[in-house]
Amino acid sequence: MKAIVFPGQGSQYVGMGKDFYESFSEAKEVFHEVDDALGLKLSNIILNGTKEKLDLTENTQPAIMTVGVSIYRVLKKYKIKDLKEYNFFAGHSLGEYTSLICSDSLSLKDGARILKERGRSMQEAVPINVGAMAALLGTELDLINEVIKKHSSNEGVAEISNDNCPGQIVISGNKHKINKIIEDLKSNYNKKAILLPVSAPFHCSLMQPSADKMNEILRRTEFKKPVINIVSNVTAKKIDNFKEIPLLLTKQITHHVRWRESVDFMSKNGVKHFIEIGPGKALTGMIKRIEKELTVTTIDNITQFNEFN
């Protein structure tokens, strides 16, 4: 069995999805429907804009979703013979919205508007230079929790925000505290840690103002039962009751992304082949590190699309 997965923030680049936009009316329709929903030429920012404008979180989030949905719709029409071969859809952070749209649980227009507001509210939740995120490489979860606990008496927040794969865990919180944890891991444990070039500390309790705002929006949004099982970032399990989706998406903003566990769950439930749809190949790399026996196909451009069977 197979699963389709959709990437999150950080995978974006100017020109992503351009060959699909120029080659398929199905892709072009997605771009234009998002433009109409937002009252903004997001398509121009994606295809021809500046990196600075695309990297604004309120643009990045709906932009990555737009490209993922457009490629999926082309793939579904021309390449996917039977959706019954696919057990699950899943997405990394904002990619979960892409999976909900592609599974007909959430409309494209609502998804675009929600992600625009989600990006804006996450950006505004914490003042610039107050928060930070860091990737901790080659460090076990237990050690990270131990070091975070060691610094718990210090003022500020430091929490695991992404459990991506073995050897790649991200922490998020107040900048001064994140820096102390990085220094501790480097000097006392000889571990590699890199501050990430992000504009806010995503997926930690500092995002509560965004979660409160998004909860109001999500509760008013219509969700339907997905046609394909969705694996939640928050629970790392399939969503059994679609009425819980607004609550799970609200929790996702302040909770860590359980990507390693999500892939494990899908693998244990029969998935042997993953297809990453959207810009970049970040999830492809993570999945291969989670379980070497799994196969992964990336579809980011026309060449990869043409090679897909």
Side-chain angles (χ1 to χ4, degrees), residues 47-160:
L47 302 172
N48 309 301
T50 63
K51 184 178 185 300
E52 289 71 25
K53 200 156 188 181
L54 180 62
D55 284 350
L56 288 173
T57 301
E58 65 179 270
N59 292 333
T60 308
Q61 296 197 14
I64 291 174
M65 177 277 291
T66 299
V67 174
V69 173
S70 65
I71 296 174
Y72 172 74
R73 289 193 179 172
V74 173
L75 196 74
K76 187 182 175 188
K77 179 164 183 181
Y78 296 101
K79 293 281 189 173
I80 294 177
K81 296 175 181 70
D82 187 358
L83 263 180
K84 289 177 183 173
E85 294 180 10
Y86 294 81
N87 287 32
F88 302 102
F89 285 177
H92 192 282
S93 190
L94 80 89
E96 192 165 319
Y97 286 83
T98 317
S99 70
L100 287 163
I101 294 163
C102 291
S103 67
D104 297 332
S105 176
L106 176 64
S107 75
L108 177 60
K109 285 187 176 181
D110 282 346
R113 286 190 283 256
I114 290 168
L115 284 174
K116 181 80 173 170
E117 192 53 53
R118 182 180 184 267
R120 184 184 291 129
S121 68
M122 290 173 84
Q123 180 64 65
E124 292 172 351
V126 180
I128 297 290
N129 290 324
V130 169
M133 297 180 77
L136 311 180
L137 307 178
T139 308
E140 295 302 316
L141 200 58
D142 288 347
L143 175 59
I144 295 168
N145 281 321
E146 183 185 315
V147 173
I148 287 173
K149 190 175 180 182
K150 195 201 309 190
H151 291 271
S152 60
S153 58
N154 298 333
E155 190 178 334
V157 166
E159 297 165 7
I160 289 171

Side-chain angles (χ1 to χ4, degrees), residues 238-306:
K238 73 181 177 74
I239 300 171
D240 287 321
N241 181 359
F242 76 94
K243 292 180 180 177
E244 294 179 355
I245 291 171
L247 177 61
L248 289 169
L249 291 177
T250 299
K251 284 184 175 180
Q252 190 212 61
I253 294 170
T254 54
H255 286 57
H256 79 273
V257 175
R258 297 170 65 179
W259 187 251
R260 175 184 55 80
E261 293 171 89
S262 296
V263 172
D264 277 341
F265 172 82
M266 289 184 272
S267 173
K268 283 170 184 169
N269 282 275
V271 174
K272 301 300 177 194
H273 187 183
F274 288 80
I275 295 97
E276 179 179 5
I277 295 177
K281 53 182 180 179
L283 301 184
T284 298
M286 291 177 199
I287 291 166
K288 286 179 177 176
R289 292 186 69 174
I290 292 166
E291 196 175 322
K292 289 182 172 63
E293 289 75 25
L294 298 173
T295 58
V296 193
T297 301
T298 311
I299 304 178
D300 174 27
N301 55 56
I302 288 287
T303 301
Q304 292 167 338
F305 169 80
N306 289 334

Side-chain angles (χ1 to χ4, degrees), residues 116-267:
K116 181 80 173 170
E117 192 53 53
R118 182 180 184 267
R120 184 184 291 129
S121 68
M122 290 173 84
Q123 180 64 65
E124 292 172 351
V126 180
I128 297 290
N129 290 324
V130 169
M133 297 180 77
L136 311 180
L137 307 178
T139 308
E140 295 302 316
L141 200 58
D142 288 347
L143 175 59
I144 295 168
N145 281 321
E146 183 185 315
V147 173
I148 287 173
K149 190 175 180 182
K150 195 201 309 190
H151 291 271
S152 60
S153 58
N154 298 333
E155 190 178 334
V157 166
E159 297 165 7
I160 289 171
S161 57
N162 300 71
D163 179 5
N164 286 331
C165 61
Q168 190 190 115
I169 293 167
V170 180
I171 57 172
S172 188
N174 292 99
K175 194 171 189 177
H176 66 275
K177 193 160 183 175
I178 296 297
N179 280 329
K180 280 188 169 130
I181 288 169
I182 289 174
E183 188 181 325
D184 191 342
L185 283 166
K186 284 181 175 178
S187 57
N188 294 321
Y189 302 95
N190 196 29
K191 297 296 182 181
K192 190 174 181 183
I194 304 165
L195 271 175
L196 298 176
V198 294
S199 52
F202 303 134
H203 297 293
C204 75
S205 55
L206 293 177
M207 289 285 111
Q208 192 59 50
S210 171
D212 293 339
K213 191 168 188 178
M214 293 310 300
N215 184 44
E216 292 300 315
I217 294 169
L218 289 162
R219 279 168 51 201
R220 297 194 305 266
T221 302
E222 182 186 6
F223 289 90
K224 297 175 183 174
K225 185 179 179 180
V227 297
I228 301 288
N229 289 316
I230 304 291
V231 178
S232 163
N233 284 184
V234 172
T235 64
K237 294 177 181 175
K238 73 181 177 74
I239 300 171
D240 287 321
N241 181 359
F242 76 94
K243 292 180 180 177
E244 294 179 355
I245 291 171
L247 177 61
L248 289 169
L249 291 177
T250 299
K251 284 184 175 180
Q252 190 212 61
I253 294 170
T254 54
H255 286 57
H256 79 273
V257 175
R258 297 170 65 179
W259 187 251
R260 175 184 55 80
E261 293 171 89
S262 296
V263 172
D264 277 341
F265 172 82
M266 289 184 272
S267 173

